[in-house]
Amino acid sequence: PFAIYHFIAGSVFMMTIVGGLALLATANSILILRTEAAPPLLMLISSVLTNIIVLLAVFHLKLDGIFWVYPALVFNYSLVGTRVAVWANITLYSSVLYLAGSWAEWPLWPRIAVTMAATGFFSHIFSSNIYRQKQALVILATIDPLTGVHNRHELQLELMKACGQQTRLGTPVTLLVLDIDFFKKIND
């Protein structure tokens, strides 16, 4: 809708920027829906392009462009990992503050700085918590809590990987199976 608004308002530059951002987000969404994952390099490029587009919006629209920074700060965490998002957000944050320093008056500039920092900070906390929970779920899904060894699902994945290596590379594969009698007594 904002691209259409800028087109009607006669701002081809902003229509191109906002339309490009919408197309980028749509293309990434379709890719993720179709493949259930996206290549990390593509996500990094998307993050960089998003930040550049947002900076152009801030440069061109000034205060109205600032409103695009907040979703970009959150969006970076969904595109790239937490560590990369921190650096992307620091770069975006400092660039926006530099641009805003040329037109934002004293009471406005600190408000922009604090609200952007708070958005980035809470996004970081949220992203970090999700990452930790995801790691815990992976451990719960792949490791037997009683024995501490990988479960049947992981065994199947390793067997498929070994068979694939054997097929591709001709690498010899050996499977050793141990059956421990009365293992229940050991567990008890």
Side-chain angles (χ1 to χ4, degrees), residues 2-4 6 13-25 53:
F2 290 109
I4 294 168
H6 288 296
F13 178 72
M14 283 310 301
M15 181 210 60
T16 305
I17 288 175
V18 174
L21 185 58
L23 287 174
L24 182 66
I53 290 169

Side-chain angles (χ1 to χ4, degrees), residues 40 43-48 50-51 69-94 116-117 119-128 131:
M43 294 294 101
L44 178 62
I45 291 169
S46 297
S47 176
V48 169
T50 298
N51 287 352
V69 175
Y70 301 102
L73 291 169
V74 177
F75 191 55
N76 282 330
Y77 282 101
S78 69
L79 286 176
V80 292
T82 303
R83 289 181 184 172
V84 177
V86 166
W87 290 108
N89 283 352
I90 287 172
T91 303
L92 180 61
Y93 178 81
S94 57
M116 281 192 322
T119 302
F121 178 72
F122 291 124
S123 297
H124 178 75
I125 290 172
F126 184 72
S127 178
S128 298
Y131 178 78

Side-chain angles (χ1 to χ4, degrees), residues 21-181:
L21 185 58
L23 287 174
L24 182 66
T26 302
N28 280 337
S29 299
I30 291 170
L31 178 68
I32 291 169
L33 284 173
R34 285 192 177 169
T35 63
E36 295 183 9
L41 180 60
L42 179 64
M43 294 294 101
L44 178 62
I45 291 169
S46 297
S47 176
V48 169
L49 288 175
T50 298
N51 287 352
I52 289 170
I53 290 169
V54 168
L55 284 173
L56 288 171
V58 170
F59 179 76
H60 188 71
L61 296 175
K62 299 191 179 5
L63 182 59
D64 288 341
I66 291 290
F67 296 113
W68 289 101
V69 175
Y70 301 102
L73 291 169
V74 177
F75 191 55
N76 282 330
Y77 282 101
S78 69
L79 286 176
V80 292
T82 303
R83 289 181 184 172
V84 177
V86 166
W87 290 108
N89 283 352
I90 287 172
T91 303
L92 180 61
Y93 178 81
S94 57
S95 300
V96 167
L97 286 182
Y98 176 77
L99 289 173
S102 65
W103 51 262
E105 296 181 19
W106 168 247
L108 182 60
W109 192 88
R111 289 179 182 156
I112 292 170
V114 169
T115 56
M116 281 192 322
T119 302
F121 178 72
F122 291 124
S123 297
H124 178 75
I125 290 172
F126 184 72
S127 178
S128 298
N129 285 339
I130 287 175
Y131 178 78
R132 278 193 295 279
Q133 290 171 352
K134 181 181 174 185
Q135 296 299 76
L137 286 174
V138 166
I139 289 170
L140 285 173
T142 59
I143 295 181
D144 179 63
L146 182 62
T147 60
V149 298
H150 289 284
N151 61 15
R152 181 174 173 254
H153 177 71
E154 282 295 303
L155 172 67
Q156 287 177 317
L157 290 177
E158 288 298 318
L159 288 173
M160 287 176 18
K161 193 186 317 178
C163 289
Q165 271 186 330
Q166 196 281 324
T167 303
R168 281 190 324 275
L169 307 172
T171 307
V173 176
T174 303
L175 176 64
L176 177 65
V177 178
L178 298 175
D179 181 23
I180 302 175
D181 291 332

